[in-house]
């Protein structure tokens, strides 16, 4: 099973250490690939590490989680990385601002419960499946466009598909 790669972002070192030590990352299908103390450092790490998900606090110095999320979503290299807020912030306007910035979920602190990672895992699994389906559709669409001018009957389509399958086996 391929592990989901996680970038953890929080300005409080004891929070980062607590989260990184208390969770059975491997047992839950995750690998903690990086940590950052602010959004600015996290943005650089996201570009180089290409994690499957970013877990970030909202309130941090230099660049907060809202700005980090906006920048992740604006960057072509990182735009598909889901950003999940892990925060003690409960003000509805802040949570709404997070979703407006592009975050896909909100997990309240303290983040010590495995069911949150299970929820994140389900989200990531669906995202991977959707990406695989989009890729397959795009390949099929390219194939159909490339051969459509050569096809005069359904029988020629079947022959071409059988020929392709034979080549694959």
């Amino acid at each position: 099973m391929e592990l989901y790669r996680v970038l953890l972002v929080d300005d409080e070192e004891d929070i980062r250490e607590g989260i990184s030590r208390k969770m059975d990352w491997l047992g839950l299908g995750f690998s903690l690939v990086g940590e950052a103390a602010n959004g600015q450092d996290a943005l650089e790490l996201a570009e180089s590490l290409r994690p499957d998900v970013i877990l970030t606090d909202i309130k941090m110095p230099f660049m907060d989680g809202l700005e980090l999320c906006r920048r992740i979503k604006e960057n072509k290299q990182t735009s598909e990385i889901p950003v999940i807020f892990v925060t003690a912030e409960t003000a509805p306007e802040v949570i709404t601002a997070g979703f407006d910035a592009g975050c896909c979920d909100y997990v309240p602190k303290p983040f010590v419960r495995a069911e949150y990672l299970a929820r994140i895992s389900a989200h990531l699994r669906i995202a991977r499946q959707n990406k695989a389906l989009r890729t397959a559709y795009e390949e099929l669409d390219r194939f159909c466009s490339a051969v459509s001018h050569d096809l005069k009957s359904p029988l020629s389509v079947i022959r071409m598909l059988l020929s392709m399958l034979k080549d694959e086996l």
Side-chain angles (χ1 to χ4, degrees):
M1 174 173 97
E2 187 179 345
L3 298 176
Y4 295 114
R5 300 164 38 85
V6 177
L7 174 59
L8 178 61
V9 187
D10 197 302
D11 60 322
E12 296 180 54
E13 186 175 357
D14 57 330
I15 298 288
R16 283 194 321 273
E17 286 181 12
I19 292 172
S20 65
R21 288 187 185 155
K22 287 182 181 179
M23 298 308 300
D24 177 15
W25 295 99
L26 294 176
L28 295 166
F30 291 87
S31 171
L32 186 60
V33 296
E35 295 181 26
N38 61 65
Q40 191 172 359
D41 293 344
L43 188 58
E44 292 175 19
L45 283 174
E47 291 174 353
S48 64
L49 296 174
R50 300 284 179 91
D52 293 307
V53 63
I54 297 172
L55 303 178
T56 184
D57 193 6
I58 293 177
K59 292 189 175 185
M60 297 180 292
F62 305 113
M63 181 190 300
D64 67 11
L66 295 170
E67 184 62 22
L68 169 64
C69 188
R70 280 192 219 53
R71 294 216 186 158
I72 289 292
K73 296 304 170 188
E74 290 170 355
N75 184 328
K76 190 174 184 177
Q77 294 178 329
T78 60
S79 64
E80 291 192 26
I81 300 173
V83 177
I84 298 174
F85 287 128
V86 181
T87 184
E89 183 62 58
T90 58
E93 60 274 7
V94 174
I95 301 305
T96 301
F99 287 110
D100 289 345
C103 90
C104 65
D105 206 349
Y106 163 82
V107 178
K109 282 184 183 174
F111 181 73
V112 293
R113 296 165 54 183
E115 60 262 23
Y116 291 134
L117 282 180
R119 184 169 84 191
I120 293 166
S121 179
H123 172 81
L124 293 172
R125 186 175 53 257
I126 291 168
R128 278 187 181 172
Q129 290 170 344
N130 285 341
K131 186 175 182 179
L133 286 172
R134 275 194 312 273
T135 300
Y137 174 80
E138 289 167 0
E139 289 176 10
L140 181 60
D141 189 50
R142 280 193 298 274
F143 167 76
C144 289
S145 295
V147 298
S148 65
H149 65 281
D150 293 334
L151 304 177
K152 296 184 172 60
S153 71
L155 183 57
S156 58
V157 172
I158 293 170
R159 285 184 183 138
M160 185 169 286
L161 290 173
L162 288 173
S163 173
M164 288 176 59
L165 285 174
K166 182 180 174 185
D167 292 342
E168 291 295 318
L169 299 175

